[in-house]
Amino acid sequence: MANNVFYILAGISLLSALMAMTLRNLFHCALFWVLAMFGVAGVFLYLDSEFLAAVQVIIYVGAVTVFIFFGIMFTRNVMDERISVMNGQFALALIAAVGFAWITHKAIQESSFRGFEHPLILTQEAAPDTGKTTTLATLVSGPDASSNMSVENLAGDLLLPDRGFAYAFEFVSILLLAALIGAIVVARKEPS
Amino acid sequence: MIQYSWLIPALPALAFVLIALLTKRSKGLSASISIGVMAVCLALSVCLFLHLLALDPAGRVFAMNWTWLSVPPWQANMGVLIDPLSVNMLLVVTLVSLLVQVYSLGYLQDDERLSTYYSYLSLFTASMLLLVVSTNFLQIFVGWELVGVSSYLLVGFWYFKPEAAEAAKKAFVVNRIGDVGFLMGVAAIGMTFNNFDFTQVEALVTQGVAHGTYTSGFVSILALLLFCGAVGKSAQFPLHVWLPDAMEGPTPVSALIHAATMVAAGVYMVARTFPLFSADLHAMTVVAYVGGFTALFAASIALTQDDIKRILAYSTLSQLGYMMLALGAGGYTAGMFHLTTHACFKALLFLGAGSVIHAVHSNDIWKMGALMKPMRVTGVTFLIAALAISGVPPLAGFWSKDEIFAAVRDSSVPGHQWLLAAAVFTAFLTAFYMFRLFFVVFLGEARSPQAAHESPKVMTVPLLILAVLSISAGWLNWPGWDAFSRFVYEGPAPHPESFDGVLALFSSLVALAGLTLSGLFYYWKVFSAQKAADRFHPLYLLLKNKYYVDEFYGWLVRKFTWGLASLFDWLDRQVIDGGLVDGLGRLTQDLGGLLRFTQTGSVQNYALVILAAVAVIYLCVSF
Amino acid sequence: MISILTVSLVPLALGLFLFHSEALGPNALPLLSTYMALPLVAALASFWAPARLARWATLFFASAQLGLALKIFCLYQTALGGYQFTEQFPGLEGLGLHYALGVDGLSAPLLILVSAVYWAGVLASWDSPARPKEYFAFFSLMTAGAAGAFLSLDLFFFFLFYELDILPMFLLIGIWGSGRKQYAATKFALYLVGGSALILVGFLALHFASGINSFDIRVLGDLAQTGFSPAFQNFWFPVLGVGFGVLLALIPFHTWSPDAYASAPTAASMMNAGVLKTLGGYGLLRVALPALPDGAKHWLPLFAVLAVLNMLYASLVALRQKDIKYVVAYSSVAHCGYLVLGICTLEATGFSGAALQMVSQGLLTAFAFGLVGLIENRTGTRQWEQLGGLSALAPVLGGLFMLNTMANVGLPGFSSFVAEFMVFLGAFRSGFEGGFAILKILFPIAVTAIVIGAVYYLRLMQNVFFGPVRRPTEGPFVDLRSREILPLVLLLVLSLAIGLYPKPWADMVNSSLVPLIDHLGGFK
Amino acid sequence: MIEFSAFQTEIWLIATALLIIGVGLFLPGQKKAMDWLALLGVLGALLTLPCSGSRCGAVVCAMPPEAFHGFLRVDGLAVFFKGLILLGTFLALVASFRYLDSQAVRHRSEFLAILLFSAAGATSLAGSQELITLYVSLETLTISSFLLAAFLKKDKASNEAGLKYLLLGAFSSALLLFGFSYLYGLTGTTVIAEMGKSLLAQPSSAIEVLAVILVVAGLAFKISLAPFHMWTPDVYEGAPLPVTAYLSVVSKIAGFAALARIFWVGLTAPALLPVWTGLFAVLAALSMILGNLEALPQTNLKRLMGYSSIAQAGYLVTGLLAGGTLGIGALLFYLAAYLFANLGVFLVAAVVSSKTGGERIVDYAGLWKREPFLAAVLTAGLFSLAGLPPFAGFAGKWFLFSAAVAKGYTWLALLGVLFSAVSLYYYLQIVRQALLAEPKDPSPIEAGLLEKCVLGFCLMAIVLFGFWPTPIAQWAQSAASSLF
Amino acid sequence: MSTVPLAHFLYFALALFSIGLFGVLARKNAISVLLGVEMMLNAVNINYLAFAKYWNWNSLTGPVFVIFIIAVGAAEVAVALAIVISVYRQFKSANVDEVHALKG
């Protein structure tokens, strides 16, 4: 049952992603794209990442789509249906995308990922005599839900300096600031 | 005495440097330096000669050596070798040089570049003397090249005359062709024996042949390589073409270089390295035949020439051919003897011719005539020289030519009887063309537009001295006394040629016959030369055009060398540079131009390339 | 004139004697570094000095360098042999680089060549160039490159100094040249960089294959230490050989040189044809042969064929040239053939011949280019068909050109005779006494070059200086001034010094070449 | 306690950027102030380096400062990279002032600030020891670069460059992330060193190889290595000149910082090493060939420099794949040489183009007559790029190729030197115009004092590194040793 | 509760990635291309979370990475839109294949 939820979500996502990438009408594309993002958010949920699912919905489905609709509005003639929406290398692109998928699929098939029917955890067994901490791992059948994956922990990881990601977190704000300033400057209409 | 012998080549060299660098401005001073030095050299040579005479015949060899260059295990020296052969040559060279230099004072008195002329002459004598006293193959080659360049400079002395410039170049290049062989020979000898020294190499050759270390065939190859040089320098067939053209130089130069001394260097070199030649009959045969052929060949050409100097030049060729013939036939002393006597009378002939040219300002014998009267000294001395070269007894040429005949007769060269016949016939021709020249120029009717007059004393005195020598030089080998042969002969060469009365008589008759026939044609006019020429027109044309050898060489050079040069030039410009080098550049650039089209400007193409690259790389890595 | 002599002789004397003085002590200054640095100083000085003083500054340092060269030559102890006056500073130990200079019997005469051509080049361009500061600076820089390359014992610095020549030469051709100068300059630079690409990779291969962390020529040239396998040597020798061959203008890699020389200003042609080319032969003798003896034995016969081809082919091509400078340029290509042939004998006499040929052809080619420059300067043309009978107008010029002709023809008395003769000796010995069999055939062919080599120069002499006077411009014709003669005289005197008494020179080069032959092990 | 010294460089840069924005907001007319502020900020950041890199001088660094769980560590290598990045930024800034004036760019403060943000991203990248930190830094650098490339809004080319760079940049970082995700899947960590240890312990698998290839693709894009290079000429040509200068140097250096760190720390497993070194060798060869050949027919200087930078990436990767202190040291040295040479050229180009408005090669005709000093720097820079002595590029190439030969990549070295010879041809095209051709417009071009000083500095560095490479090469080697 | 194998998540992500890829490569419109890129980033996110869940729950690295990717992606979209708008002003088109003045 629970599995089926995943497959349905995945199916919806992929289908709408496909639509989003192939439909002629850009507006419809954007809508399907939003649907696909919802599907992905659902999968996030399924992967016990409620918080991220929420972020996904807020940021992508909310903010990003708004942005994109903005963009669509600005670029008016995209609604014109007489012109092909695919470029000249459409066929090659298809082959490349399918080929890439095929290759990667093969690689995943051959890999050790294939064996994991259940979520597993890797417990680290410190081997005191050798001092190695992370190299040897034992695979144990993990608990179904994790108490670790909480917003608090996540926030802790992101904000506490000793957890390491605080720097990146701070830095991403710089990135956002730069992007914001830059986007404003670039997008602003220059007086002639 | 011997220890000062190095001064003999050194003094003229010093004179050259002095004149070239310091005294160019003063003609008189330059000439005095040069002539003075020559006189000193002559005196030194005479002293050496007397010194040697005083010694025991077995101990007349002295050598001094200074290391000039060495790469272990060999070393090359510069040195002075004093032995009868070289002293004989020294005497000839210094004497003729001195006389010619004095003569030049009159001949070239009006030339602005007299200083230069004397500097060149000094350079020449220095080089020639270096060659003469050389102790080894390298040194003789050095001298050889240096006389070549002096000859080049002197032939081209009047460089503003295009013919002179051309002749100078031709002389140099043709000599170089001979030098190819010579150089190979010297290199081969030096590297085979680790030695360049004449005496040591000769000893090694003798020993080596005796012990079977070296085959006589090998030695004869060495000898023939050396002989190539002699063929060039002594203008033997087929490298004779330069000598007649070299007559473009001032006449005293022709007398000195192209008659008496330098051209004889080839003969001297063969004599000097005689043991190498005599080690094998093949080498001797080649030498003899080249000499014999050249003698006959050149004499026949001389019959029809009109230029006084060219007639003498062909005569020189012919006489040099005699000398080679003698050496090839084994007549070591005969060759050297003829060299010596020839130096006297041929120098005399040329100086005489110079005197004539000086008087009439032309080289064409048909523009001269009846000069005996205004130019008595010249005429008489010229007659003496002509008689001498024709082999009329008892003048110098008679004796030396006779010894050559004797040597050829006794030679072991196969077919020597034919060579003898050729030599005798050449003697006949010699007498004929010499007296043709004499009769046309000095007797008969006057054809010169201007009145000729005798040359000044400074020119006639050398003529007189040479005339005396032309008469008397042959007496050195008076039958039974054989002073010359005994002096020069030292080595293991075959016996000294002995005088043969029958042969002498016969050859005298032949010479007289030639003389008489010539008189019948050109003096008494019993026969008409014109008619004879018409009668044998093809032959006449052939002789007149010198057997078309020059034309043939010209054709060869044009077709072959020039063609090859053009081909290579084309190859260089069009194929290597234009095709390969620029082509490679162009190809690279075109390749770049083609590759540009991959840069389509479409960003999605780029993305596709990235993805394709990832896929291809992955596939390549996995399989 | 007097001031030129003063500015030349005073520093010359300084260079000669300063280091000798007791007060300074024998090693007060590093001799070789100073030698190498002098042109660099000159470059800086001429760059910073006022334009009109640039030439004086350069002349000053050039003369000092000449003095120093003579001093090194005199102080070098032939009897001891080996590298002397060595200087060494640690460099990048991790990369095996160090700054090491030394001079041996092979390079000591070459230093004289470098300095003489430098000095002569400065005087040869005394009043021609526009922008004299840059001109003299670049010229000095070229010299520094050549000097450094001859002195370096470390391959990195050898290569650095060698390539240092390319940029200034490019600029000298491109800015101060004539004719198709841009084409020639570009071609020159590309060709030489292409050739040096091979050299560079070859050097690196030597270094890493040896397993010794050193670029020292002395170390890499010792097979006992490096232990290169024959297969390795056979592979890498041609790489280095072709690399140096490009520099030597070995056919078919020669086409850069006529164009470059013909377009370059006189002094640059002198330096480049006289000195830079020599570096190719030097590299072969100094690096390629000692390090790769088996490879050399394997490949030298082929190079010998190319060398002989150079001698004949270039001479014949020279015959067809209408531009005097091209004739001289092809002549210099032809003369490199002797050099290479000497090396290809793999034999002591041939080696000595090659070493002397380096010096000789350097001096004489520089001499020839100097003269051609003067002819062009006087007549305004280089096409010999437009010229004739110049001897009548300018006897001194004619006389010098005559000497040049004779020297290039290889007449005894000039260094070229000695060198070429020794090359022939070596070729014979190698061919007939157990060396390379192919030299049996090549030896006679090579000797014929003395004829063809003579023809084009004699023809030039005949056409330009003999015969009736012919020239494109009218007006007074001034014969050479003493300032113009002076540099040529220096080159000539050096050539004559070798040609008249070659023993000390030959002994000096032998002191390093005989050990080299021993090292190569002959043909046993 | 947070060790600020581990990221004080970035703090400096960001603070300066914010200050400039402030100036721009409140004193919009104060162009000079912004300029000097930017320069001072970079210089200040540069000054923070020696004390953050190591307390005992710049060369050896026993206890590199680290922070955030070791995710950020300023070891010797990081110091070196940061130094280069800051120098590059400084030079690009100097190149931009006059250019911005001549193009009448209105948002000067924003331009400068974004440039500084971008530089902060780059320096931060150099110190990152962990993929997330690295990714964020990288994106800061890249996204700011997109903006800079598109900064000339009225210029079609600039817009096109911005768009192309953006699309391909985003695409390639998606590939990179995809690769990272598999690496994370395989190792469970994003700390590069731990990742390396973990990979060492497991057998090689296809997905691992694929992940590595994706990472290569993502990062090769940044250093414009063929065949991931195709954006380079278009973007270089279209972007504003100082931005091109910045991209050609800083972006590339940062890319190499990431590559060196990820590959030589994270992916050294014996099964992987030959895969990616071999791969890099092929890509390097391809870059040299494509970059040099395609540069030959170019007529636009910026575009030509784009192709040139592709070729240079090829040479540089030679050092990367050779590895060891020798290879990475060579890489670092050559980066330094490349920095001065390339930026010297671009600085000259900026001065010239500000005066003439032209960016074609023929616009440099007769530069020698118009301003000899510019021509001299241009020549030296181009010759250095071609690898000719006495310039730094020569020593650099020597080190690079000797590292390659030492690792058995002789063919690559041979290819490199041969194509260096080819490259000389197109560099000479420029030099020929600058030195040998006659100017169409003989009016002098005067460079400002600052520009002259900086150009002089570049020239000095190019020549000095060429003549005496030892000190800097030693420093580079010791910096490289912090990887091994 | 969940028994979906890890590989299926991966396949899902892969499919999504490939669809995005196709969009990037084949769509004319710049906005569509951007949508494709974002889709690829989402696929990456799925990978991270899947690995995080199946591999090692203790560390939050995977989710953290996802957060950063989302943040950076958002910034990217902002910048992208700005540039697209600017391009549109100049080229009067937002079609990627019409923006190819720079080439060769």
Side-chain angles (χ1 to χ4, degrees), chain B residues 151-234:
Chain B
S151 156
Y152 171 79
L153 293 171
L154 285 165
V155 171
F157 179 69
W158 287 319
Y159 58 82
F160 38 83
K161 280 164 58 187
E163 305 82 24
E166 180 65 32
K169 185 185 77 177
K170 187 172 177 182
F172 197 93
V173 172
V174 174
N175 265 300
R176 275 256 145 173
I177 295 173
D179 291 347
V180 170
F182 193 16
L183 179 57
M184 285 201 272
V186 172
I189 289 168
M191 289 299 100
T192 309
F193 304 107
N194 272 324
N195 211 318
F196 286 97
D197 197 90
F198 289 135
T199 43
Q200 293 179 33
V201 168
E202 280 156 16
L204 285 170
V205 166
T206 323
Q207 271 177 20
V209 172
H211 290 106
T213 326
Y214 308 112
T215 62
S216 59
F218 172 70
V219 177
S220 72
I221 288 174
L222 294 183
L224 288 176
L225 285 173
L226 295 180
F227 183 61
C228 290
V231 168
K233 192 78 32 186
S234 291

Side-chain angles (χ1 to χ4, degrees), chain C residues 314-442:
Chain C
S315 301
L316 282 169
V317 177
L319 207 53
R320 283 299 310 265
Q321 301 307 311
K322 293 191 161 54
D323 183 323
I324 305 174
K325 219 168 175 185
Y326 270 98
V327 177
V328 176
Y330 273 106
S331 150
S332 97
V333 174
H335 280 92
C336 278
Y338 289 92
L339 203 167
V340 178
L341 184 64
I343 294 173
C344 290
T345 61
L346 207 61
E347 194 277 330
T349 310
F351 272 16
S352 306
L356 289 181
Q357 176 71 3
M358 285 180 205
V359 185
S360 164
Q361 84 112 21
L363 292 168
L364 294 176
T365 308
F367 185 68
F369 277 115
L371 273 172
V372 175
L374 289 170
I375 294 174
E376 192 186 3
N377 170 285
R378 290 295 194 278
T379 63
T381 182
R382 294 196 317 233
Q383 305 296 318
W384 57 256
E385 284 174 342
Q386 300 178 11
L387 298 171
L390 294 189
S391 272
L393 297 173
V396 177
L397 180 62
L400 283 173
F401 203 89
M402 175 66 80
L403 287 168
N404 169 47
T405 302
M406 291 307 154
N408 273 290
V409 161
L411 216 72
F414 295 99
S415 51
S416 48
F417 170 76
V418 180
E420 290 170 15
F421 185 70
M422 285 169 82
V423 168
F424 288 136
L425 291 182
F428 179 87
R429 168 159 285 168
S430 182
F432 289 88
E433 301 194 1
F436 296 127
I438 193 161
L439 286 171
K440 280 182 183 157
I441 304 162
L442 291 179

Side-chain angles (χ1 to χ4, degrees), chain D residues 18-87:
Chain D
L18 293 174
L19 204 58
I20 290 173
I21 292 173
V23 173
L25 280 178
F26 300 110
L27 302 163
Q30 295 295 321
K31 285 190 193 171
K32 276 265 179 286
M34 300 174 201
D35 293 355
W36 284 106
L37 215 52
L39 289 181
L40 284 177
V42 177
L43 278 183
L46 207 53
L47 286 179
T48 64
L49 274 185
C51 46
S52 74
S54 80
R55 289 176 180 79
C56 43
V59 180
V60 187
C61 148
M63 279 291 291
E66 60 174 51
F68 302 107
H69 220 267
F71 289 4
L72 211 57
R73 187 167 66 243
V74 189
D75 52 11
L77 187 69
V79 171
F80 201 99
F81 272 125
K82 285 183 186 199
L84 291 183
I85 288 164
L86 290 173
L87 275 173

Side-chain angles (χ1 to χ4, degrees), chain C residues 53 149 152 166 181 199 212 218 233 252 296 331 340 364 399 415 451 454 466 483:
Chain C
L53 287 183
S152 293
I166 293 173
K181 57 185 185 180
I199 299 176
I212 308 164
R218 294 163 293 186
Q233 300 192 26
S331 150
V340 178
L364 294 176
S415 51
V451 181
F466 295 166
R483 194 217 321 124

Side-chain angles (χ1 to χ4, degrees), chain C residues 115-480:
Chain C
S115 301
V117 174
Y118 182 32
W119 190 81
V122 173
L123 279 184
S125 37
W126 195 247
D127 43 21
S128 38
R131 292 181 172 273
K133 287 158 65 136
E134 290 86 353
Y135 179 90
F136 285 106
F138 291 144
F139 186 59
S140 299
L141 209 57
M142 257 177 92
T143 312
F150 284 127
L151 288 174
S152 293
L153 294 182
D154 186 277
L155 290 183
F156 174 81
F157 286 96
F158 175 84
F159 192 80
L160 187 150
F161 282 116
Y162 149 53
E163 285 233 313
L164 189 57
D165 280 339
I166 293 173
L167 171 61
M169 182 64 184
F170 170 81
L171 295 172
L172 284 170
I173 298 176
I175 299 175
W176 290 274
S178 56
R180 296 163 77 197
K181 57 185 185 180
Q182 295 204 8
Y183 170 79
T186 310
K187 193 168 170 182
F188 165 83
L190 288 178
Y191 232 119
L192 258 63
V193 169
S196 64
L198 298 176
I199 299 176
L200 172 64
V201 176
F203 283 1
L204 294 179
L206 291 185
H207 172 79
F208 288 104
S210 72
I212 308 164
N213 189 23
S214 170
F215 276 104
D216 195 308
I217 290 173
R218 294 163 293 186
V219 176
L220 290 179
D222 184 0
L223 205 58
Q225 286 188 54
T226 56
F228 295 134
S229 70
F232 174 86
Q233 300 192 26
N234 286 346
F235 182 82
W236 284 105
F237 185 80
V239 174
L240 281 179
V242 171
F244 287 122
V246 170
L247 198 53
L248 278 167
L250 203 59
I251 283 165
F253 314 110
H254 66 288
T255 59
W256 61 271
S257 89
D259 285 335
Y261 299 161
S263 301
T266 302
S269 300
M270 288 164 78
M271 182 54 83
N272 202 304
V275 178
L276 190 59
K277 246 184 192 173
T278 308
L279 208 51
Y282 180 78
L284 278 178
L285 279 178
R286 180 62 88 223
V287 186
L289 286 172
L292 305 166
D294 293 335
K297 281 171 204 165
H298 193 258
W299 284 100
L300 281 184
L302 180 68
F303 281 89
V305 174
L306 292 182
V308 172
L309 207 58
N310 254 46
M311 293 156 71
L312 299 178
Y313 176 96
S315 301
L316 282 169
V317 177
L319 207 53
R320 283 299 310 265
Q321 301 307 311
K322 293 191 161 54
D323 183 323
I324 305 174
K325 219 168 175 185
Y326 270 98
V327 177
V328 176
Y330 273 106
S331 150
S332 97
V333 174
H335 280 92
C336 278
Y338 289 92
L339 203 167
V340 178
L341 184 64
I343 294 173
C344 290
T345 61
L346 207 61
E347 194 277 330
T349 310
F351 272 16
S352 306
L356 289 181
Q357 176 71 3
M358 285 180 205
V359 185
S360 164
Q361 84 112 21
L363 292 168
L364 294 176
T365 308
F367 185 68
F369 277 115
L371 273 172
V372 175
L374 289 170
I375 294 174
E376 192 186 3
N377 170 285
R378 290 295 194 278
T379 63
T381 182
R382 294 196 317 233
Q383 305 296 318
W384 57 256
E385 284 174 342
Q386 300 178 11
L387 298 171
L390 294 189
S391 272
L393 297 173
V396 177
L397 180 62
L400 283 173
F401 203 89
M402 175 66 80
L403 287 168
N404 169 47
T405 302
M406 291 307 154
N408 273 290
V409 161
L411 216 72
F414 295 99
S415 51
S416 48
F417 170 76
V418 180
E420 290 170 15
F421 185 70
M422 285 169 82
V423 168
F424 288 136
L425 291 182
F428 179 87
R429 168 159 285 168
S430 182
F432 289 88
E433 301 194 1
F436 296 127
I438 193 161
L439 286 171
K440 280 182 183 157
I441 304 162
L442 291 179
F443 168 68
I445 300 175
V447 178
T448 57
I450 67 169
V451 181
I452 302 169
V455 174
Y456 59 86
Y457 252 119
L458 291 173
R459 213 164 136 258
L460 199 60
M461 187 78 212
Q462 180 192 349
N463 282 295
V464 177
F465 287 92
F466 295 166
V469 175
R470 200 166 56 226
R471 59 184 168 128
T473 50
E474 292 305 309
F477 194 102
V478 187
D479 202 355
L480 299 191

Side-chain angles (χ1 to χ4, degrees), chain D residues 174-255:
Chain D
L175 291 181
L176 179 70
L177 285 173
F178 204 52
F180 279 169
S181 75
Y182 286 123
L183 286 179
Y184 171 67
L186 287 166
T187 61
T189 177
T190 54
V191 178
I192 296 170
E194 286 175 24
M195 204 167 78
K197 283 180 199 154
S198 171
L199 285 175
L200 214 55
Q202 48 184 289
S204 167
S205 64
I207 196 77
E208 186 185 54
V209 172
L210 184 65
V212 169
I213 292 170
L214 286 168
V215 173
V216 169
L219 290 174
F221 171 86
K222 303 281 182 243
I223 60 167
S224 44
L225 195 65
F228 313 105
H229 66 289
M230 299 182 82
W231 61 277
T232 316
D234 293 4
V235 173
Y236 277 30
E237 186 182 349
L241 207 147
V243 177
T244 307
Y246 179 78
L247 289 181
S248 74
V249 172
V250 175
S251 194
K252 199 172 290 242
I253 292 172

